[in-house]
Amino acid sequence: MRVYIKDESSRFGLNAYKILGASWALHNLNLAPSRVGGNAQIKRSAIVTATSGNHGRAVAHAARKLGLICHVYIPRGANPVRVARIQSEGATLKFIDGDYDEAARCAERDANANGWQLVQDLVRPGYERIPGWVIDGYATLFAECEEQTPEPPQTVVLHMGAGNFAEAGWRHYRGKARVIVARPARGNRTLDCLTVEDVSTGLLEGVTEYVEIDDDDATRAVAYLEAHGIFAAPSGAGGVAGMLKLGIPGPVLAVVTEGKLTA
């Protein structure tokens, strides 16, 4: 089969694709940075987000570039490499005793209490605009795929995560290619993906084909990629894992969404 892999592990040196969504969301928010003129001082805007790693780093990086204060809420048990990378962007971290969902609840609570701008990538009733911008930002990746591949794919396999990335790919390729979404099987949390029940509200409603992947599938995908000179984290190899599991004839496209985690 003819396989095309888009490797996002070197995107702006951030090891993942998430900056495409975070930067576009902050651009559209158009928040004011700190600046002083004469006797007047304008207080710079503060943003807050919850993360298990990559989204938080992307938001923190974009905030730093724009001169914004950034607070990142993260589960206490998060991967220490991801934690260190967020800290390197100058964000203030708040460790939460609980899972990602609890971190998201705390971030929203404190945003409301302190007048901070919540920049989250999960669509929820009443909170659609900013996640929508995140999805629009991810569309850049798929436009690049069209420019970079010598032929259009017949099949595109996307990892699910919270649904935003897969939604962006689905919107781009619907009517052009067969779209399959790889979702983690129950009990395989080490894939570092959210379960299908946690998918953002209203996303992936047009997707009809899914493949369940487990930790062994992800491990095989990582080994396959390494054999071809691409170094991915298991959580970034979900689309490739689904592609290999199904043995799809080419041309097929998958995306490595996160590089290997190294300190």
Side-chain angles (χ1 to χ4, degrees):
M1 60 181 178
R2 294 191 302 282
V3 174
Y4 299 102
I5 305 293
K6 184 161 177 60
D7 180 10
E8 286 292 301
S9 64
S10 60
R11 172 78 66 176
F12 297 144
L14 297 175
N15 205 49
Y17 72 101
K18 295 272 188 172
I19 188 63
L20 293 172
S23 61
W24 186 239
L26 265 63
H27 168 80
N28 281 289
L29 283 168
N30 194 28
L31 301 174
S34 175
R35 60 184 184 274
V36 178
N39 295 322
Q41 180 170 332
I42 299 175
K43 183 180 179 181
R44 61 177 165 173
S45 302
I47 60 174
V48 60
T49 191
T51 189
S52 58
N54 288 321
H55 171 73
R57 186 188 187 189
V59 172
H61 180 84
R64 179 172 61 82
K65 291 288 189 180
L66 294 171
L68 304 173
I69 295 171
C70 181
H71 304 276
V72 177
Y73 286 53
I74 189 166
R76 194 174 299 279
N79 184 290
V81 174
R82 292 194 177 109
V83 170
R85 288 174 175 174
I86 296 170
Q87 290 174 320
S88 73
E89 300 293 346
T92 300
L93 267 67
K94 185 174 180 63
F95 294 96
I96 302 299
D97 292 322
D99 58 11
Y100 169 84
D101 290 333
E102 181 61 22
R105 284 190 289 269
C106 292
E108 183 175 7
R109 177 201 66 202
D110 290 358
N112 292 333
N114 295 294
W116 298 339
Q117 174 63 62
L118 182 67
V119 180
Q120 208 56 52
D121 56 349
L122 292 179
V123 180
R124 291 292 180 260
Y127 188 77
E128 296 94 4
R129 184 181 61 158
I130 291 174
W133 288 335
V134 170
I135 293 170
D136 290 343
Y138 293 162
T140 301
L141 185 158
F142 298 104
E144 290 174 351
C145 286
E146 292 218 13
E147 296 176 354
Q148 294 167 349
T149 52
E151 60 183 327
Q154 292 181 359
T155 306
V156 179
V157 187
L158 307 165
H159 88 268
M160 186 177 73
N164 301 311
F165 170 78
E167 177 70 15
W170 159 248
R171 291 180 186 179
H172 186 89
Y173 282 107
R174 61 185 171 188
K176 301 178 185 178
R178 177 189 181 195
V179 177
I180 302 172
V181 175
R183 60 186 177 190
R186 293 181 185 277
N188 286 267
R189 301 294 289 190
T190 59
L191 284 170
D192 205 16
C193 298
L194 301 179
T195 61
V196 66
E197 289 80 12
D198 296 323
V199 69
S200 284
T201 303
L203 301 187
L204 306 184
E205 293 181 347
V207 175
T208 59
E209 291 190 76
Y210 290 88
V211 56
E212 285 201 343
I213 55 174
D214 59 23
D215 295 336
D216 290 340
D217 296 322
T219 298
R220 282 191 291 272
V222 168
Y224 170 87
L225 289 164
E226 286 193 3
H228 291 84
I230 300 172
F231 300 93
S235 55
V240 176
M243 177 193 76
L244 294 175
K245 188 167 188 175
L246 293 173
I248 301 167
V252 59
L253 169 70
V255 180
V256 170
T257 57
E258 180 185 12
K260 190 173 183 179
L261 291 177
T262 55

